[in-house]
Amino acid sequence: GKPTGAIRASFGKDSIWEDMDALASFIEKVFVSRRHVSLQTQQLNSGANQSDNEPLVIASLFVFPIKSCAAMRVRRWPINRCTGKLAFDREFALVDSSGAAMRLHSYPKMSQIESKIDLEHSIMIVSAPGHTNLVLSLDKTSGTAFGVSDTPRDVEVCGALCKGSVWGGPEASKWFSSVLGIRCWLARHYERVDPRKQSGTGHTGKDSYSNEAALLVVSQRSI
């Protein structure tokens, strides 16, 4: 058959092997056609052997300036060789009144918020249907003139505690709150520079609100 979509199944600390077996049995019973299993296996094996000799090509490249909001498609983009992260990728996050980073599955309207990074002018242009564009400076040396907080705040991201500077001030907070219908503020990832690491970058850890890896690579064969 032809793939028509994808699903995600999550397991937690209370999950047991029987839960996984039940899911596998359900998928096999409902979605797997025995007539095509043998043919598909042969095709996959053949494709795997061919791919060993084929060069890898990046077909599409996306950057997510604001975590859980819409992506920005780019053709070329700088990458941090030390962290392996695309510049500005998930460097910003929307934070609710409890101090937790907001996520798409809880706030579907976040998918309507689009961000465009202008590297030449060092600005981020944020847009949403029915709202005027919000233009934010990306210059970290601009200080409070652009609504940047000097004191970093705690931001909880998927259970982990990070730091974030308030970015854009009350104007940005009002804009995002109006779009999503909930009080929130824009945080920019804050990372303390370790003076003892002057020989390197001085970074003490990752410089974004990514969950785990700095990059997510998806094969076209898998979608």
Side-chain angles (χ1 to χ4, degrees):
K2 183 179 180 180
T4 58
I7 61 172
R8 173 180 175 178
S10 299
F11 293 90
K13 63 181 181 64
D14 295 323
S15 301
I16 57 178
W17 282 107
E18 284 74 9
D19 296 331
M20 185 174 63
D21 290 339
L23 176 62
S25 298
F26 167 75
I27 294 176
E28 183 178 13
K29 179 180 179 181
V30 178
F31 295 103
V32 176
S33 175
R34 291 294 180 183
R35 295 177 301 172
H36 303 292
V37 170
S38 178
L39 178 60
Q40 289 178 349
T41 301
Q42 294 176 5
Q43 291 175 343
L44 288 174
N45 292 336
S46 175
N49 295 332
Q50 293 177 359
S51 63
D52 292 340
N53 301 322
E54 295 177 359
L56 296 178
V57 178
I58 298 178
S60 301
L61 186 61
F62 297 90
V63 180
F64 294 81
I66 304 178
K67 182 178 177 66
S68 289
C69 292
M72 175 181 70
R73 187 169 187 168
V74 297
R75 295 186 61 185
R76 297 170 58 92
W77 202 251
I79 188 171
N80 188 317
R81 294 186 178 182
C82 297
T83 63
K85 183 182 79 71
L86 295 170
F88 300 106
D89 185 59
R90 289 167 291 181
E91 191 164 325
F92 295 87
L94 294 174
V95 184
D96 61 21
S97 57
S98 69
M102 300 169 64
R103 304 179 65 183
L104 180 61
H105 68 81
S106 299
Y107 303 96
K109 287 185 178 180
M110 294 180 71
S111 63
Q112 301 178 2
I113 299 177
E114 298 183 356
S115 304
K116 302 294 183 182
I117 300 292
D118 185 334
L119 294 175
E120 181 180 356
H121 298 93
S122 190
I123 59 174
M124 178 170 66
I125 304 173
V126 190
S127 61
H131 293 75
T132 58
N133 290 352
L134 176 67
V135 181
L136 300 170
S137 171
L138 297 174
D139 186 4
K140 290 185 177 181
T141 63
S142 58
T144 56
F146 291 95
V148 181
S149 172
D150 294 330
T151 305
R153 300 185 182 183
D154 290 335
V155 178
E156 184 181 349
V157 180
C158 298
L161 199 60
C162 305
K163 290 290 185 180
S165 298
V166 178
W167 207 262
E171 179 184 358
S173 178
K174 182 178 179 180
W175 191 91
F176 286 107
S177 298
S178 175
V179 174
L180 300 176
I182 182 174
R183 290 188 60 185
C184 59
W185 54 278
L186 181 66
R188 185 172 188 175
H189 191 273
Y190 175 88
E191 183 183 14
R192 185 180 302 278
V193 176
D194 189 346
R196 296 172 298 179
K197 298 184 179 180
Q198 294 299 324
S199 58
T201 63
H203 292 301
T204 58
K206 64 181 184 180
D207 54 355
S208 71
Y209 292 117
S210 59
N211 295 349
E212 295 179 359
L215 296 175
L216 174 62
V217 180
V218 180
S219 169
Q220 287 186 324
R221 294 180 181 273
S222 66
I223 57 176

